[in-house]
Amino acid sequence: MTVRTRFAPSPTGYLHVGGARTALFNWLFARRHGGTFVLRVEDTDEARNTAAARQAIFDGMSWLGLDWDEGPTAGGSYGPYFQSERKGIYDAWFDKLRGLGRVYEDAGAWRFRFERKPVTMQDLVCGMVTIDYRDESNTPDMVLRRSDGSYVFHFVNVVDDLEMAITHVIRGEDHLMNTPKHLQLIEAFGGVAPQYAHLPLILNPDGSKMSKRDAGAAVGDYPRQGFLPEAVVNFIALLGWSSKTEEEIFALNDLVARFSLEAVNRAPARFDLEKCRWVNQQHLANMSVSAFAALAADFVEQAGLPLPENFEAVAAAVKDKVRVLGEVPAAVAFLLTDQLELDAEVVAKVRANAAAAGLLDMLAEAFEGIGEWSAETAKAALNEVARAAGVKPGHLMFPLRAALSGRAHGPDLGDLLNLLGRDRCLARVRSFSKVLSS
């Protein structure tokens, strides 16, 4: 059997992280088994569908690297792949049900006549699920075609899965109770049902159900903030799936090799944007300096900062300090311009050491006397000043960092000394000494 999975979004809004996870798990399963991944657009809701939402779905999936084998722009033997273009197909399948006596008219709409029996399914994630259709008051016959002639989700969903020879339906747990309805339809058609796997819900850290308005919900926000697509895919994969090891950082090929529905958790997944930033930081750390600098340069330029010839060295100094590329401009601004913003708490902390200003003045004189400037010669000068003042070199490290960067943390002190050069270091030390004395 050739595995065929599908992702069937409705273009009524942006690509939600929950939808992205559904797409990812379908894509991973198809790739893992050498199968086919189908993109099918459920666009029959004319009042809510928009071209912008449709494009946002395509763009989001492309950014994540989830290419589809069949569907819009890719073509395929089972099209059209927009439900709005498949009405003739639906009419033909509906006529089959009429011929079988399985539908009847009710106030202008048409209902499907359920068989009054228990329906049991073996879900690949949730296990055995049974819905008892013997009590009609709990399970009334289902509307398939509305009075305006349009078809409901349940009908077109089943028809498309049968028409497109879908073998595995991997979707959110919110559809679990729909599946017995779909199985009754498939049985009426005399079709072969796909295997079903329903994924756990995604919850916010506080346990509430994640909505479209929650932070991190929109996939389109991630590239603007400077997340890497491979990191977001890595993070989304961990929302409900486990490698059964201590490992958490995976490349896309690793996920394909390891993914299985058996490893999908039954319990709801907790979305944690901080965890996503951490995962992204690990992927940034694994990049080459040149690749990181090339991506970071776009964010620096967008922030209106200049790009010096040695930007790759500047980027290297903060590569392991930032979590997302959007943090790079703030991390390097003090290296690219001389408009230094001093952290008030840092200034207060240095000022609490009454000797700091005098030590910095001595350090400025020592810096001025250095012939060949480098981090090594600058640190040697610092050690000499400390020895002459009768203090440990550590007493000068923090005041010097504060003078050069205006902040308590950041790149290695040696990187600061090398990147800024003697003249800029000298100017900043003298300026900061005056601030301390004022």
Side-chain angles (χ1 to χ4, degrees), residues 373 404 415-427:
W373 179 269
L404 299 182
D415 290 332
L416 297 185
L417 293 166
N418 278 330
L419 291 169
L420 289 170
R422 183 180 65 176
D423 292 345
R424 295 174 77 193
C425 287
L426 188 57

Side-chain angles (χ1 to χ4, degrees), residues 119-179:
V119 175
T120 298
M121 58 172 285
Q122 179 64 42
D123 189 88
L124 296 177
V125 173
C126 300
M128 197 73 74
V129 178
T130 299
I131 299 294
D132 193 341
Y133 282 85
R134 287 176 295 188
D135 186 349
E136 191 171 346
S137 66
N138 290 332
T139 55
D141 288 341
M142 171 175 59
V143 171
L144 291 190
R145 194 167 79 174
R146 304 179 185 92
S147 57
D148 64 3
S150 63
Y151 294 100
V152 303
F153 158 79
H154 303 291
F155 179 72
V156 297
N157 189 272
V158 165
V159 168
D160 287 346
D161 285 344
L162 290 174
E163 278 267 332
M164 296 180 182
I166 300 302
T167 63
H168 294 77
V169 172
I170 304 168
R171 59 189 179 186
E173 193 179 68
D174 50 329
H175 286 293
L176 181 61
M177 292 299 101
N178 293 331
T179 303

Side-chain angles (χ1 to χ4, degrees), residues 76-142:
S77 303
Y78 297 87
Y81 293 94
F82 291 95
Q83 284 187 342
S84 59
E85 300 173 5
R86 298 175 62 83
K87 187 175 185 302
I89 296 171
Y90 303 142
D91 288 343
W93 283 77
F94 181 76
D95 286 343
K96 289 182 184 180
L97 291 179
R98 290 184 66 177
L100 292 168
R102 293 300 300 273
V103 292
Y104 61 92
E105 193 171 5
D106 178 20
W110 287 82
R111 290 184 178 272
F112 174 69
R113 200 186 309 275
F114 284 130
E115 286 194 9
R116 295 301 163 183
K117 63 181 183 179
V119 175
T120 298
M121 58 172 285
Q122 179 64 42
D123 189 88
L124 296 177
V125 173
C126 300
M128 197 73 74
V129 178
T130 299
I131 299 294
D132 193 341
Y133 282 85
R134 287 176 295 188
D135 186 349
E136 191 171 346
S137 66
N138 290 332
T139 55
D141 288 341
M142 171 175 59

Side-chain angles (χ1 to χ4, degrees), residues 23-69:
L24 172 62
F25 283 18
N26 276 280
W27 186 92
L28 288 172
F29 189 80
R31 295 290 175 266
R32 177 74 176 82
H33 295 280
T36 299
F37 175 58
V38 179
L39 176 61
R40 185 175 80 214
V41 181
E42 297 188 345
D43 62 343
T44 53
D45 190 345
E46 295 181 10
R48 297 177 61 211
N49 296 331
T50 68
R54 183 171 64 244
Q55 192 60 47
I57 291 169
F58 296 165
D59 291 347
M61 290 183 64
S62 296
W63 182 74
L64 291 169
L66 306 182
D67 55 323
W68 50 97
D69 304 300

Side-chain angles (χ1 to χ4, degrees), residues 397-408:
M397 294 288 191
F398 185 75
L400 178 57
R401 172 177 290 281
L404 299 182
S405 68
R407 55 189 75 173

Side-chain angles (χ1 to χ4, degrees), residues 232 271 322:
V232 176
F271 182 88
V322 299

